[in-house]
Amino acid sequence: ETGVTQSPTHLIKTRGQQVTLRCSSQSGHNTVSWYQQALGQGPQFIFQYYREEENGRGNFPPRFSGLQFPNYSSELNVNALELDDSALYLCASSLAHRETQYFGPGTRLLVL
Amino acid sequence: GQQLNQSPQSMFIQEGEDVSMNCTSSSIFNTWLWYKQDPGEGPVLLIALYKAGELTSNGRLTAQFGITRKDSFLNISASIPSDVGIYFCAGMNYGGSQGNLIFGKGTKLSVKP
């Protein structure tokens, strides 16, 4: 059974650019949640996708957007990147929207 | 954003020692989860707790879901060098239709010099 995978592993962008991060959920899981983890902090919830619909959102601006595809993989898009967007972005999948979440290895984003 | 109070922030362990850490919240949770994160990696699930008062073990790890549903603790018995890392507690609410996790700031376990 393949676990949660994320791509790319690392990314460097400049302020104002746009970025797309990708996540493949664990086999059989229909829910994907995205988190931002700043250095030295716990992960912060960005949003969740359940059956291709956004199913809840944390305290993040609209320039953070996402998609979930029919195979339940997901994308996180961030527009107009700011220096503070530098962080580890984690994707987690679960059997359903209230079930235990399993995390991928993350994408490390650096904004210069 | 909202975070749980996790303590201690850091601790040093010597091989063979027992370790305790806990997590408290001002809000009630339906589920408590404990994760371990190594540098540059994603969090790995250690133990999931679904019922108030529940005590669950996973090898040398034992965790409990507090009766008030506002706290949880994790114990590691007879620590070994590979226990080093950052441990996070996370609570899940079923508010509305979503099930997002709220995390503590982590407890960093290091080897005693």
Side-chain angles (χ1 to χ4, degrees):
Chain A
E1 183 181 286
T2 309
V4 180
T5 60
Q6 292 186 243
S7 63
T9 54
H10 296 83
L11 205 50
I12 299 175
K13 291 284 188 178
T14 54
R15 199 168 45 179
Q17 284 190 312
Q18 178 265 342
V19 70
T20 298
L21 310 182
R22 294 179 175 82
C23 171
S24 290
S25 58
Q26 193 167 315
S27 177
H29 288 190
N30 63 18
T31 301
V32 171
S33 304
W34 285 92
Y35 294 82
Q36 181 195 66
Q37 187 178 22
L39 209 56
Q41 301 293 317
Q44 295 283 325
F45 175 68
I46 303 175
F47 43 56
Q48 182 181 83
Y49 278 85
Y50 171 56
R51 293 183 176 177
E52 302 179 60
E53 299 278 336
E54 187 178 290
N55 184 51
R57 188 180 184 92
N59 191 25
F60 281 81
R63 58 190 186 83
F64 285 78
S65 63
L67 277 176
Q68 188 177 33
F69 300 99
N71 67 355
Y72 302 127
S73 66
S74 177
E75 282 183 357
L76 164 65
N77 299 293
V78 188
N79 292 323
L81 283 166
E82 300 177 0
L83 297 180
D84 284 349
D85 295 334
S86 296
L88 180 68
Y89 287 85
L90 294 163
C91 158
S93 76
S94 50
L95 277 170
H97 61 290
R98 293 179 181 180
E99 299 293 328
T100 303
Q101 296 180 14
Y102 298 85
F103 284 84
T107 293
R108 174 73 63 187
L109 173 65
L110 178 61
V111 182
L112 301 175
Chain B
Q2 184 183 356
Q3 286 194 325
L4 305 176
N5 298 314
Q6 191 171 346
S7 65
Q9 284 188 332
S10 63
M11 58 194 308
F12 289 91
I13 58 171
Q14 199 154 42
E15 190 168 349
E17 284 182 342
D18 294 344
V19 170
S20 288
M21 61 191 78
N22 67 76
C23 214
T24 60
S25 169
S26 56
S27 308
I28 287 171
F29 287 110
N30 303 105
T31 299
W32 281 95
L33 302 162
W34 286 91
Y35 292 88
K36 179 174 181 264
Q37 187 174 30
D38 291 326
E41 303 287 331
V44 174
L45 181 67
L46 299 173
I47 292 181
L49 301 157
Y50 301 106
K51 194 174 170 184
E54 180 181 356
L55 185 73
T56 296
S57 292
N58 178 11
R60 295 178 295 105
L61 277 58
T62 302
Q64 185 158 28
F65 191 145
I67 288 288
T68 64
R69 294 164 62 196
K70 291 183 178 182
D71 62 333
S72 178
F73 72 75
L74 175 71
N75 287 342
I76 305 173
S77 63
S79 57
I80 59 178
S82 61
D83 290 335
V84 162
I86 303 178
Y87 291 78
F88 288 99
C89 61
M92 182 186 289
N93 270 331
Y94 297 161
S97 60
Q98 70 190 58
N100 60 290
L101 295 178
I102 297 168
F103 282 82
K105 287 192 175 184
T107 293
K108 185 177 181 181
L109 248 57
S110 305
V111 174
K112 217 175 255 186

